[in-house]
Amino acid sequence: MVKTVKTYVEGGNNMNSTTHGRRSASKIIGWLMVLGLSLFLVAYGATPDNSLGTSPKTSQPQSPASKVKACDLLTKEEVEGIIGQKIDSVGVQPGYGNCIYYIREKVFGQVMALPIVTVGYSKSDVQSRWDYWSSTSKKEVITGVGDGAIWSPDYDFFVCRVKGGLLMISIKDKDMAIRLAKKAITRIK
């Protein structure tokens, strides 16, 4: 006879260990995908003087007047309110300027800081970046946000034309990306 073992988790919820295991594995896979996307964006060609997803062959440095600090676009509390999770830390991606919001999770027995949201803004290579994201096979054109926006479900990536630049948000949920973008746009000068 097979016994189902009950597991009690934080908050007093109980569930059988099989369900808990599947949910944990799903969560881990999701976070690893977000981490992978962040690494992909850096490998694809972000350069130290640019933000998310730039082709290094054609990048132009931004003038100091056009620099927007990505971490000034959204507060930790705003991100928490939209994603419904506590953000444990916020940091600037060294050399790239993207703002990364982290949560701490236990993964394979180790507590790790996992990126849950990445935000970037750049006025460099706007057209080539826009062309790249516009040409992805699965994309959804989003209306009512900035001067045009695209959601890429394959990459969990949102890109929006605004004030002569591109706002880029990496997150697993399109609706959350749109809500984050609408808040961030108000702070882009």
Side-chain angles (χ1 to χ4, degrees), residues 6-185:
K6 293 282 186 179
T7 305
Y8 292 89
V9 294
E10 229 177 283
N13 297 325
N14 64 23
M15 60 183 85
N16 69 47
S17 59
T18 304
T19 302
H20 179 66
R22 275 190 232 126
R23 287 183 184 165
S24 293
S26 176
K27 231 183 206 186
I28 291 168
I29 290 169
W31 287 318
L32 291 175
M33 287 176 59
V34 170
L35 177 62
L37 175 62
S38 296
L39 294 173
F40 163 78
L41 293 171
V42 171
Y44 172 73
T47 59
D49 58 350
N50 291 301
S51 195
L52 298 170
T54 300
S55 170
K57 295 175 189 159
T58 60
S59 64
Q60 301 291 321
Q62 294 178 332
S63 68
S66 70
K67 284 260 186 197
V68 172
K69 293 181 181 174
C71 287
D72 291 344
L73 298 177
L74 295 165
T75 67
K76 176 182 166 186
E77 294 75 21
E78 288 169 332
V79 173
E80 288 174 336
I82 289 172
I83 71 169
Q85 281 186 273
K86 180 184 179 298
I87 299 294
D88 293 303
S89 63
V90 179
V92 176
Q93 186 178 14
Y96 298 92
N98 300 321
C99 190
I100 304 175
Y101 299 83
Y102 296 93
I103 58 172
R104 291 175 53 84
E105 282 291 323
K106 197 170 199 174
V107 179
F108 303 117
Q110 298 289 321
V111 176
M112 299 177 67
L114 301 172
I116 189 104
V117 177
T118 303
V119 177
Y121 179 82
S122 179
K123 287 191 173 183
S124 294
D125 289 335
V126 172
Q127 191 60 50
S128 63
R129 290 180 190 199
W130 181 257
D131 291 345
Y132 173 80
W133 289 106
S134 296
S135 69
T136 58
S137 60
K138 290 184 184 173
K139 68 179 175 294
E140 183 179 338
V141 175
I142 307 296
T143 58
V145 183
D147 301 322
I150 294 171
W151 169 253
S152 175
D154 287 345
Y155 297 100
D156 295 331
F157 195 76
F158 178 87
V159 61
C160 176
R161 286 179 177 252
V162 60
K163 297 185 181 171
L166 290 180
L167 171 65
M168 296 155 284
I169 300 174
S170 173
I171 188 172
K172 290 175 35 171
D173 183 274
K174 174 184 74 173
D175 294 328
M176 289 179 189
I178 292 168
R179 290 175 60 201
L180 290 167
K182 285 181 176 180
K183 284 208 179 275
I185 285 170

